[in-house]
Amino acid sequence: MTETELFFMSYLLQVDFPYTGPWGQEMTAQMDGLAQSIASEPGLIWKIWTENPQANEAGGVYLFQDLDSAQAYLAMHTARLKGFGIPQVNGKIFLVNEALSRTDRAPV
């Protein structure tokens, strides 16, 4: 294992977009099928769903096993959201420094 592999072994995807609801429990009920679908995406380790009703934004933070999976998911998810009528999807992919993240109790 190389030095790079010891410190950087996963990829974090951050996505946010304009969203007007539903929020909270109603969102949970309406998005359960989507959550089940996302759970089976190749390379996905976990997703944290995010929502900000005050700013009318939603999104998620995802951890992927590899860059190819993160990039493929971002492209597919952006197209899906645009198909839902969401005009702007912001997505960024970051390499995770797992050694430092573990120090701060990250679930990596």
Side-chain angles (χ1 to χ4, degrees):
M1 186 175 285
T2 69
E3 182 178 337
T4 299
E5 290 172 322
L6 288 172
F7 293 100
F8 302 100
M9 298 182 65
S10 57
Y11 290 82
L12 187 110
L13 168 61
Q14 173 189 333
V15 175
D16 64 81
F17 49 88
Y19 184 72
T20 58
W23 307 104
Q25 291 179 342
E26 188 179 347
M27 180 186 203
T28 300
Q30 288 190 17
M31 301 293 179
D32 185 64
L34 180 59
Q36 295 298 324
S37 172
I38 291 169
S40 66
E41 287 294 327
L44 179 70
I45 299 170
W46 50 253
K47 175 185 179 181
I48 296 172
W49 289 68
T50 59
E51 55 183 277
N52 184 340
Q54 292 78 22
N56 282 325
E57 292 181 320
V61 178
Y62 309 72
L63 189 66
F64 283 91
Q65 294 173 346
D66 57 87
L67 180 59
D68 289 342
S69 295
Q71 290 173 327
Y73 181 81
L74 178 57
M76 179 278 299
H77 194 48
T78 298
R80 173 173 47 203
L81 290 170
K82 289 189 175 195
F84 292 161
I86 295 171
Q88 177 65 38
V89 178
N90 304 307
K92 293 182 182 180
I93 298 173
F94 299 90
L95 192 57
V96 175
N97 184 313
E98 292 192 10
L100 290 173
S101 298
R102 278 192 293 276
T103 298
D104 293 322
R105 297 182 295 282
V108 295

